[in-house]
């Protein structure tokens, strides 16, 4: 591998590191808060205070909830709903979702886990101001369950509905209905307001998802880096990342939203409205001393003045962040997946890597084998470029004596030297950048694969050989401390990859002086080892096998370039050098 290839790799790697560290979305402060901060109350010892009388308690409820005071007292009842993909628990207090445990995806210990972080109060709520100025969160109110059972099961194409009713008074009621399908992560969520046309302040309410999603991976720092709240409106993605525990984050925009969502590394919760929204509100915070990021994502909905019945329908998706699954919803929810630059790496991910992987997965179940096959296919596609590069490098090597002569002759006239070099390159049919062209072409693909392997749940907890999970580094030994530039572990795949980089350089023709190549022969493998030690094992496997195929291909090309090819190249180079030699002789005659 020549110096241009090395420089290309180094520059792109440096750009990638800087981009990952510093090119984060700028946060803006929103205009209002979706939830009012709760004031801390200093409590006296309970044994020194008299027990509140029923009248006092009723007065306190009335002060907090106004006309909703009666609904703030009751008994909580829960119902568990099982389908083919998850187990959900709903509560009559707030008619909210308190738990959702996936059946086909497990945590780092291989155990089922609850995705809902706000299990104490629930994740879903309707938030509004009543006509008497009370802030109402439906999670504080007790609904009446229309289902007497405590457990329900739905499978296949079956449907199951669970409904709750809140009777505010004789004229007003709120009905919440969840409709589950047996084989889908999508839950239909219907919210019916009866008699609220003129009794909600501002004629608007918010539907909130309150809470981030529970972390499930070993590397909490990495999972925190992938956690965010987002919304899609106006054809653009609005993101909020609460990355700093010392800051509070808010984001707000008006307009029609396709969805709001909260995600961690591999899972997402999204609310998809079925009518136009007034806007969205996102709020986030990070727990001090920890990595967990908590979020509120809300849809702002208008209540038409004078309309006695408002029947709003939503779709709720809580499940894996699988590209094909979320894309099938038809609302652009796949935009929340990070595939890098929209103009470069994302097209490679969406239209090349994922389709090919999904197609091959129909016939090959092991993703390690799929990666190896993919590397082989890419190597075959780039073979013509590699062959042209090899021939170009051999011509460049033949031109070295002539180039050194020109550099010495025109050392005081750089412009003339560049002109002569350009002429010789052209007449000899040599492209000085030809050696790094195959590398530059595959770099967007390599970066796209980096994002796919980090973001796609398909590789999660899928192993190959010693790598237990292709979506994380294949650590074979943990130090217990971190080494700068290297990390806190030893990964085997990058070591093997660095070895193949070394041997690939050894057999690749080069036009560089021996001293330079001796340095790069060791420096470049070391650089790649440091860079890939913390990369997903799947990416290391891809590059390892790509290098193995490159070595085999290079050995084949070195053996099959005939003496006639070499003679033709030498003849072409000699023809290119004649004008320069003639110029030199003419100088002597003068």
């Amino acid at each position: 591998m020549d110096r241009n290839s090395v420089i290309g790799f180094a520059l792109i790697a440096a750009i990638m590191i800087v981009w990952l560290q510093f090119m984060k979305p700028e946060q803006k402060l929103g205009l209002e808060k979706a939830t009012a901060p709760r004031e801390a109350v200093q409590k006296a010892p309970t044994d020194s205070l008299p027990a509140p009388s029923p009248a006092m308690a009723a007065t306190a409820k009335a002060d907090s909830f106004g006309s909703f005071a009666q609904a703030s007292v009751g008994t909580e009842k829960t119902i568990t709903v099982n389908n083919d993909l998850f187990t959900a628990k709903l509560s009559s207090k707030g008619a909210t979702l308190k738990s959702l445990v996936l059946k086909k995806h497990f945590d780092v210990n291989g155990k089922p886990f609850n995705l809902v972080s706000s299990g104490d109060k629930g994740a879903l709520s309707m938030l509004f101001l009543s006509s008497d100025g009370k802030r109402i969160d439906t999670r504080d109110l007790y609904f009446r369950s229309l289902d007497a059972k405590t457990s329900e099961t739905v499978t296949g194409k079956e449907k199951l509905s669970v409904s709750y009713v809140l009777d505010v008074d004789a004229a007003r009621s709120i009905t919440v209905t969840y409709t589950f399908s047996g084989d889908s992560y999508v839950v239909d969520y219907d919210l019916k307001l009866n008699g609220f046309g003129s009794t909600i302040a501002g004629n608007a309410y918010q539907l909130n998802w309150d809470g981030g999603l529970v972390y499930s991976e070993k590397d909490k720092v990495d999972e925190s880096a992938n956690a965010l709240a987002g919304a899609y409106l106006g054809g653009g993605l609005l993101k909020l990342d609460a990355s700093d525990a010392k800051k509070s984050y808010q984001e707000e925009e008006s307009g029609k939203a396709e969805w709001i969502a909260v995600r961690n590394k591999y899972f997402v919760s999204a609310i998809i409205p079925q009518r136009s929204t007034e806007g969205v509100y996102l709020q986030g915070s990070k727990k001090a001393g920890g990595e967990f990021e908590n979020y509120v994502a809300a849809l702002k909905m208008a209540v038409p003045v004078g309309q006695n019945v408002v029947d709003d329908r939503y779709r709720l998706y809580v499940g894996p962040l699988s590209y094909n699954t979320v894309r099938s919803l038809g609302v652009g929810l796949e935009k929340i997946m990070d595939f890098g630059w929209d103009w470069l790496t994302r097209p490679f991910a969406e239209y090349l890597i994922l389709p090919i992987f999904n197609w091959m997965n129909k016939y090959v179940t092991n993703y390690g084998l799929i990666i190896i096959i993919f590397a082989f296919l890419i190597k075959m596609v780039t073979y013509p470029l590699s062959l042209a590069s090899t021939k170009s490098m051999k011509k460049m090597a033949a031109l070295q004596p002539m180039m050194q002569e020109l550099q010495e002759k025109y050392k005081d006239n750089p412009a003339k030297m560049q002109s002569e070099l350009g002429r010789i390159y052209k007449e000899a049919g040599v492209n000085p950048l030809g050696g790094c062209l195959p590398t530059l072409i595959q770099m967007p693909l390599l970066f796209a694969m980096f994002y796919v392997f980090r973001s796609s749940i398909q590789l999660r907890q899928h192993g190959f050989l010693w790598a237990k999970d292709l979506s994380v580094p294949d650590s074979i030994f943990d130090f217990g401390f971190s080494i700068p530039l290297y990390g806190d572990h030893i990964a085997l795949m990058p070591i093997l990859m660095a070895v193949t980089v070394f041997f690939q350089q050894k057999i690749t023709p080069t036009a560089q002086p021996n001293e330079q190549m001796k340095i790069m022969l060791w420096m470049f493998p070391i650089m790649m080892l440091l860079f890939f030690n913390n990369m997903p094992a799947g990416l290391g496997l891809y590059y390892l096998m790509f290098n193995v195929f490159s070595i085999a291909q290079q050995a084949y090309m070195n053996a099959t370039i005939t003496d006639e090819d070499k003679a033709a190249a030498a003849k072409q180079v000699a023809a290119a050098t004649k004008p320069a030699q003639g110029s030199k002789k003419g100088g002597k005659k003068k």
Side-chain angles (χ1 to χ4, degrees), residues 24-30 33 240-251 282-289 292-295:
K24 296 181 179 179
E26 182 181 355
Q27 309 297 339
K28 296 186 293 183
L29 292 177
K33 294 186 177 180
L240 183 138
D241 182 7
S243 57
D244 190 343
K246 298 179 181 179
K247 299 180 181 179
S248 60
Y249 296 85
Q250 299 174 40
E251 196 73 72
L282 307 177
Q283 179 184 355
S285 62
K286 186 173 184 177
K287 185 178 180 181
F292 183 74
E293 296 176 9
N294 198 36
Y295 292 101

Side-chain angles (χ1 to χ4, degrees), residues 57-302:
T59 301
K61 291 289 185 182
D63 289 342
S64 298
F65 298 101
S67 58
F68 291 84
Q70 184 176 352
S72 66
V73 179
T75 302
E76 182 180 17
K77 296 180 181 179
T78 61
I79 181 172
T80 301
V81 178
N82 285 280
N83 75 357
D84 300 336
L85 303 173
F86 59 78
T87 299
K89 185 169 76 171
L90 305 176
S91 172
S92 63
K93 185 179 181 182
T96 189
L97 175 68
K98 282 208 162 184
S99 171
L100 193 139
V101 179
L102 302 180
K103 294 183 177 180
K104 295 187 177 182
H105 301 277
F106 308 100
D107 65 12
V108 67
N109 298 314
K111 297 180 180 180
F113 67 102
N114 175 21
L115 271 173
V116 178
S117 64
S118 54
D120 53 341
K121 293 200 67 175
L124 286 168
S125 69
M126 177 187 173
L127 187 70
F128 61 93
L129 287 176
S130 63
S131 56
D132 52 359
K134 305 301 180 184
R135 177 185 173 278
I136 303 299
D137 184 334
T138 53
R139 291 176 298 176
D140 296 324
L141 308 177
Y142 290 86
F143 286 66
R144 173 168 50 90
S145 176
L146 301 185
D147 196 320
K149 297 181 180 180
T150 59
S151 180
E152 293 275 14
T153 300
V154 58
T155 62
K157 300 299 181 182
E158 298 174 353
K159 299 282 187 178
L160 171 70
S161 294
V162 178
S163 296
Y164 296 94
V165 177
L166 178 68
D167 297 311
V168 182
D169 49 42
R172 293 181 298 167
S173 65
I174 300 174
T175 303
V176 175
T177 301
Y178 294 85
T179 301
F180 298 86
S181 299
D183 59 354
S184 176
Y185 289 104
V186 177
V187 179
D188 291 330
Y189 179 88
D190 296 344
L191 180 61
K192 186 175 182 180
L193 308 178
N194 186 30
F196 281 85
S198 301
T199 60
I200 294 182
N203 295 103
Y205 72 87
Q206 290 185 179
L207 182 63
N208 289 5
W209 176 275
D210 188 354
L213 296 182
V214 171
Y215 292 177
S216 60
E217 308 306 302
K218 179 181 178 181
D219 190 342
K220 304 303 181 187
V221 175
D222 180 58
E223 190 157 15
S224 177
N226 287 274
L228 58 85
Y232 192 64
L233 70 171
L237 179 62
L238 176 68
K239 294 195 296 186
L240 183 138
D241 182 7
S243 57
D244 190 343
K246 298 179 181 179
K247 299 180 181 179
S248 60
Y249 296 85
Q250 299 174 40
E251 196 73 72
E252 183 179 24
E253 277 198 21
S254 300
K256 181 182 178 181
E258 298 292 336
W259 49 261
I260 55 169
V262 171
R263 64 161 290 184
N264 58 20
K265 186 171 184 180
Y266 291 117
F267 303 96
V268 64
S269 171
I271 302 176
I272 305 166
Q274 301 302 292
R275 74 172 173 100
S276 295
T277 66
E278 294 294 299
V280 300
Y281 175 81
L282 307 177
Q283 179 184 355
S285 62
K286 186 173 184 177
K287 185 178 180 181
E291 297 300 332
F292 183 74
E293 296 176 9
N294 198 36
Y295 292 101
V296 172
L299 290 169
K300 297 181 179 181
M301 308 297 296

Side-chain angles (χ1 to χ4, degrees), residues 208-522:
N208 289 5
W209 176 275
D210 188 354
L213 296 182
V214 171
Y215 292 177
S216 60
E217 308 306 302
K218 179 181 178 181
D219 190 342
K220 304 303 181 187
V221 175
D222 180 58
E223 190 157 15
S224 177
N226 287 274
L228 58 85
Y232 192 64
L233 70 171
L237 179 62
L238 176 68
K239 294 195 296 186
L240 183 138
D241 182 7
S243 57
D244 190 343
K246 298 179 181 179
K247 299 180 181 179
S248 60
Y249 296 85
Q250 299 174 40
E251 196 73 72
E252 183 179 24
E253 277 198 21
S254 300
K256 181 182 178 181
E258 298 292 336
W259 49 261
I260 55 169
V262 171
R263 64 161 290 184
N264 58 20
K265 186 171 184 180
Y266 291 117
F267 303 96
V268 64
S269 171
I271 302 176
I272 305 166
Q274 301 302 292
R275 74 172 173 100
S276 295
T277 66
E278 294 294 299
V280 300
Y281 175 81
L282 307 177
Q283 179 184 355
S285 62
K286 186 173 184 177
K287 185 178 180 181
E291 297 300 332
F292 183 74
E293 296 176 9
N294 198 36
Y295 292 101
V296 172
L299 290 169
K300 297 181 179 181
M301 308 297 296
V303 178
V305 178
Q307 185 169 322
N308 192 50
V309 177
V310 177
D311 193 356
D312 283 338
R313 301 177 184 274
Y314 304 87
R315 285 187 294 166
L316 174 66
Y317 178 91
V318 185
L321 197 55
S322 171
Y323 179 82
N324 287 340
T325 303
V326 298
R327 188 173 184 270
S328 67
L329 299 175
V331 292
L333 184 56
E334 70 275 9
K335 300 295 184 182
I336 203 170
M337 299 182 71
D338 184 11
F339 291 143
W341 298 287
D342 288 342
W343 53 273
L344 182 62
T345 56
R346 192 174 191 95
F348 276 92
E350 290 188 312
Y351 304 117
L352 179 65
I353 299 172
L354 288 172
I356 292 178
F357 273 35
N358 291 330
W359 176 77
M360 286 195 292
N361 193 225
K362 296 178 181 178
Y363 309 100
V364 182
T365 58
N366 187 284
Y367 273 97
L369 294 176
I370 290 175
I371 291 171
I372 293 174
I373 296 171
F374 187 80
F376 179 78
L377 293 175
I378 296 299
K379 194 67 227 177
M380 289 299 97
V381 170
T382 58
Y383 173 73
L385 291 174
S386 299
L387 181 60
S389 174
T390 297
K391 292 182 177 180
S392 178
M393 285 299 97
K394 288 185 178 296
K395 289 183 180 179
M396 285 288 291
L399 282 174
Q400 280 303 301
M402 181 62 183
M403 292 169 62
Q404 292 175 3
E405 181 182 343
L406 287 176
Q407 289 171 355
E408 178 64 26
K409 180 178 179 180
Y410 297 112
K411 62 183 179 181
D412 297 327
N413 191 349
K416 180 65 175 177
M417 180 179 67
Q418 290 299 323
S419 175
E420 285 296 311
L421 287 175
R423 178 184 59 79
I424 291 176
Y425 287 151
K426 182 178 180 180
E427 295 182 7
V430 173
N431 180 2
L433 299 179
C436 62
L437 186 59
T439 299
L440 292 177
I441 289 178
Q442 67 166 312
M443 287 310 294
L445 177 64
L446 179 65
F447 286 171
M449 293 189 72
F450 163 77
Y451 286 107
V452 169
F453 291 171
R454 282 177 56 87
S455 304
S456 177
I457 199 170
Q458 279 87 343
L459 295 183
R460 180 180 182 263
Q461 298 181 356
H462 281 267
F464 181 70
L465 299 178
W466 64 87
K468 296 180 180 179
D469 188 342
L470 289 170
S471 66
V472 298
D474 60 315
S475 174
I476 58 174
F477 182 78
D478 293 333
F479 297 128
F481 56 89
S482 182
I483 299 176
L485 299 179
Y486 187 65
D488 60 359
H489 62 270
I490 297 176
L492 182 56
M493 207 78 74
I495 296 175
L496 298 177
M497 187 203 66
V499 173
T500 61
V501 170
F502 177 85
F503 283 106
Q504 184 183 1
Q505 289 185 109
K506 289 281 287 185
I507 69 170
T508 301
T510 178
Q512 303 303 323
N514 288 336
E515 290 302 319
Q516 292 183 14
M517 284 311 301
K518 286 180 181 179
I519 296 174
M520 298 310 300
L521 192 64
W522 295 100

